């Protein structure tokens, strides 16, 4: 039984296989419509954090593959409430074929994965967002050849940390620019160094984007960090993606965007933005992942 709690739960070859499978499923759907790859199978979706893209892409993906998804919000299944996480995992594992969880504490998805006895997918924790990285890598392969350079400019947050690992596994040339004190965890950098080329790290956004084909950013104030808002806005002064900083490079953003903070409205509405391809590819990348996980049983 295989879980997907962060990108490096896969081997480099397995990651390539999942991305290839996603591209094939996307092409097949565009040519022929829905399939029955996961006919009769069910995905249980645990949500502590709200989401547009995560819920809709997973529900739609299961439908397009012939399966079914069950939404379990905070009022349906309160983690650390009526029963322990391990008991929730054991029960769900008797009902569904996959469990997807979008939660705050990364330890919760680890515990779900330990006890569910079906594949558990991390759809976001405060530490990692591996499903977003699958969509990011699929988008990059669609728009660029193998020789591509990416600059991450902003917070070294969960999205960034998973992207660092995925970039190393795919051999991408990555530079990460964050303010002092907001960088990627040393543990993640060490893991990346063991997987492939580790990113260059800087506190200078202009230096980071100088040789980049793609500039990637995310919100500076994530869910659960609202009390840090004023502090973070001050710390990230100079890190906004403006037309001048972006130049003729492609823009990536995992969305939702806080327009006027980490990115200007002009930039995200420009032809340089490939953010909507990214958003769509959440659907296709996750279908590729689900189909691959089903084959591992």
């Amino acid at each position: 039984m295989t879980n997907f709690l962060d990108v490096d739960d896969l081997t480099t070859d397995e990651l390539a296989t999942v991305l290839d499978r996603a591209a094939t499923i996307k092409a097949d759907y565009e040519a022929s419509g829905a399939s029955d790859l996961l006919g009769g199978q069910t995905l249980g979706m645990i949500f502590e954090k709200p989401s547009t893209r995560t819920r809709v892409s997973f529900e739609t993906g299961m439908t397009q593959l012939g399966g079914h998804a069950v939404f379990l919000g905070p009022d349906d299944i309160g983690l650390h409430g009526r029963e322990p996480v391990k008991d929730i995992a054991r029960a769900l594992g008797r009902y569904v074929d996959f469990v997807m969880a979008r939660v705050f504490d990364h330890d919760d998805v680890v515990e779900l994965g330990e006890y569910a006895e079906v594949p558990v997918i991390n759809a976001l924790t405060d530490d990692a967002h591996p499903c977003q990285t699958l969509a990011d890598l699929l988008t990059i392969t669609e728009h660029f050849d193998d020789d591509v350079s990416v600059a991450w400019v902003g917070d070294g947050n969960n999205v960034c940390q998973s992207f660092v690992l995925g970039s190393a596994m795919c051999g991408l040339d990555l530079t990460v620019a964050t303010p002092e004190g907001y960088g990627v965890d040393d543990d993640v950098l060490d893991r990346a160094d063991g997987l492939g080329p580790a990113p260059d790290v800087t506190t200078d956004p202009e230096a980071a984007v100088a040789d980049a084909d793609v500039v990637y950013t995310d919100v500076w104030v994530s869910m659960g960090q609202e009390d840090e808002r004023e502090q973070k806005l001050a710390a990230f002064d100079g890190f906004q993606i403006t037309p001048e900083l972006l130049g003729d490079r492609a823009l990536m953003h995992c969305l939702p965007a806080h327009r006027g903070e980490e990115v200007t409205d002009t930039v995200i509405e420009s032809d340089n933005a490939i953010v909507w391809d990214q958003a769509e590819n959440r659907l296709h990348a996750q279908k590729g992942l689900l189909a691959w996980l089903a084959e591992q049983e």
Side-chain angles (χ1 to χ4, degrees), residues 24-289:
T24 299
I25 289 173
K26 179 177 181 178
D28 289 347
Y29 180 76
E30 290 172 348
S32 307
S35 73
D36 198 40
L37 276 173
L38 298 182
Q41 298 195 47
T42 300
L43 169 70
M45 305 190 302
I46 299 173
F47 280 82
E48 275 190 322
K49 293 185 175 186
S51 173
T52 301
R53 278 153 290 276
T54 297
R55 178 176 178 179
V56 176
S57 60
F58 268 108
E59 283 199 26
T60 302
M62 283 299 292
T63 299
Q64 290 180 358
L65 295 177
H68 175 64
V70 177
F71 174 80
L72 298 163
D75 294 334
D76 302 307
I77 185 168
L79 297 181
H80 308 288
R82 291 178 300 173
E83 57 184 328
V85 172
K86 61 185 177 181
D87 290 359
I88 292 169
R90 287 169 171 140
L92 282 179
R94 300 297 180 99
Y95 301 139
V96 303
D97 301 281
F98 314 90
V99 173
M100 180 230 83
R102 181 179 171 90
V103 300
F104 288 94
D105 191 342
H106 192 81
D107 288 342
D108 286 340
V109 294
V110 173
E111 190 169 358
L112 287 167
E114 183 177 353
Y115 289 97
E117 296 186 0
V118 296
V120 172
I121 299 168
N122 175 8
L124 180 141
T125 66
D126 285 348
D127 292 348
H129 198 353
C131 289
Q132 181 64 54
T133 295
L134 294 182
D136 298 338
L137 296 172
L138 181 60
T139 304
I140 288 170
T141 61
E142 290 177 342
H143 283 269
F144 299 94
D145 57 25
D146 292 336
D147 185 21
V148 58
S149 178
V150 183
W152 175 281
V153 177
D155 194 8
N157 62 10
N158 51 357
V159 177
C160 179
Q161 296 198 145
S162 289
F163 187 70
V164 163
L165 297 172
S167 295
M169 293 173 74
C170 290
L172 294 185
D173 178 10
L174 175 64
T175 301
V176 175
T178 66
E180 197 72 45
Y182 293 95
V184 176
D185 289 349
D186 288 341
D187 169 68
V188 173
L189 293 174
D190 288 343
R191 286 158 61 193
D193 192 42
L195 295 167
D200 292 327
V201 176
T202 181
T203 57
D204 184 345
E206 292 187 1
V209 306
D211 297 318
D213 303 297
V214 183
V215 177
Y216 193 171
T217 192
D218 188 16
V219 296
W220 297 336
V221 183
S222 300
M223 281 180 284
Q225 298 179 341
E226 289 78 11
D227 59 343
E228 303 174 33
R229 178 176 177 78
E230 295 307 317
Q231 174 187 340
K232 295 196 86 172
L233 291 183
F236 283 82
D237 184 41
F239 280 78
Q240 185 184 71
I241 309 302
T242 62
E244 293 75 23
L245 186 65
L246 183 66
D248 61 357
R249 304 169 185 91
L251 172 74
M252 292 178 63
H253 193 306
C254 63
L255 303 177
H258 294 173
R259 299 177 185 223
E261 292 184 9
E262 77 278 358
V263 64
T264 66
D265 185 78
T266 299
V267 164
I268 208 163
E269 291 292 342
S270 73
D271 291 340
N272 297 77
I274 57 174
V275 300
W276 311 114
D277 293 338
Q278 253 182 296
E280 178 186 343
N281 279 335
R282 285 291 304 276
L283 169 66
H284 305 299
Q286 288 157 188
K287 286 192 290 184
L289 174 66

